[in-house]
Every structure is written in structure tokens, then in C-alpha cells.
Amino acid sequence: MSANLLWSIDDSLALGARIARVARPGDVVTLSGPLGAGKTSIARGLLNELGLEGEAPSPSYAIVQPYAPPEVQFPVLHVDLYRIEDAEEAVELGLWEARHDSLLVVEWPERLPELTWVDALRLTLLIESDGVRRLTAMVPEAWRQRWSLI
């Protein structure tokens, strides 16, 4: 299932908040799109809704930015795979182990094989030539009922 919508940064923050209301540990949300499209804004909206005070830093340099209670309602890993060269490097990050009790929010998921994200809520933001952002959502079965609540 996919949907195309016109999108702003405020919409990205609000979408992140709505996703947080239905997300749970074990879920994966992937965020694709060019630099400046609003990926980190979706993650920030999600983290703020889960209780994070202040602005979440981009995990570009740390690659994985963990959050845990009481900072947020349940464990979240905000991941930026932009600097990952191959799948072997990703194994060292411990994402698969953390997935059992954490929500994974993954920017640049295309740096790993697509099958890695088969059950993820996959969001793609594109910037059109007129500067308008467009969101496409690929909604797997595990998210279908919850997506209607978003």
C-alpha cells in the first residue's frame, strides 16, 4: 500500500508524532530520501511524542543514537546508515539484536539489502522541482491496521 501526499517539515514532525502513538518495540520505520527532505524531522517528531525533551540530534556521525526510559516511553534506536559501506558493517551495530525490545527508526535504509526491511513501515520523502516534498508510504501487513490510525 502506498500513498502520495504533498508534504512540509511541519507535516514531517506531525507524522512522526502520529507514528509514535501506534509504534511499539520490535517495529521498524525506515526513512528514505535525499539530504534535507525531512527524514530526521519525522524521527524528531516521533521521539518528542515518546517523551524526549529537546531536539534529537541527527545520528549521522554516531550512526546509532539510542534512547531509553525514562528519557522515552520505550527503547528507540535512531539509526543513520548513510556512512555504512556494506552490510557487514551493519551487523556490528547490533540492530537485529536490539530489534527485539526496541523501535528502530532507520534513515538511509537503502544502504542494506531491501529484504532487511521486509516488515518495516517504509517512508520515502522526495523533493519535487518546485521545492514541494512528496511522501510515499509502503505499508506492510504488520502496519496496515495501525496505519489507518495515523
Side-chain angles (χ1 to χ4, degrees):
M1 172 186 283
S2 67
N4 288 309
L5 307 166
L6 299 180
W7 216 249
S8 71
I9 295 297
D10 288 339
D11 292 329
S12 295
L13 292 167
L15 175 62
R18 291 192 308 270
I19 291 170
R21 292 182 204 125
V22 298
R24 54 187 175 237
D27 285 339
V28 177
V29 177
T30 65
L31 305 169
S32 297
L35 292 170
K39 299 179 299 293
T40 301
S41 294
I42 292 173
R44 286 178 175 149
L46 182 148
L47 288 161
N48 288 145
E49 185 68 19
L50 290 177
L52 183 67
E53 295 182 14
E55 188 169 307
S58 172
S60 294
Y61 293 102
I63 300 178
V64 177
Q65 182 68 45
Y67 299 91
E71 188 176 34
V72 290
Q73 292 173 14
F74 53 80
V76 178
L77 294 182
H78 184 189
V79 182
D80 186 326
L81 298 176
Y82 184 75
R83 298 181 337 171
I84 294 296
E85 297 292 327
D86 61 53
E88 291 300 316
E89 289 179 72
V91 171
E92 295 174 16
L93 299 175
L95 301 180
W96 289 265
E97 295 84 3
R99 186 169 173 188
H100 297 290
D101 64 357
S102 301
L103 167 64
L104 300 184
V105 179
V106 182
E107 296 187 40
W108 300 97
E110 56 275 3
R111 305 293 279 172
L112 295 179
E114 189 172 335
L115 289 176
T116 306
W117 315 115
V118 69
D119 62 342
L121 173 61
R122 293 183 280 174
L123 305 177
T124 301
L125 288 155
L126 298 175
I127 303 173
E128 303 289 328
S129 59
D130 60 1
V132 173
R133 289 168 173 83
R134 183 170 302 279
L135 172 77
T136 300
M138 298 301 295
V139 184
E141 187 62 38
W143 278 89
R144 290 227 172 115
Q145 288 184 324
R146 292 183 280 163
W147 183 250
S148 67
L149 299 174
I150 295 172

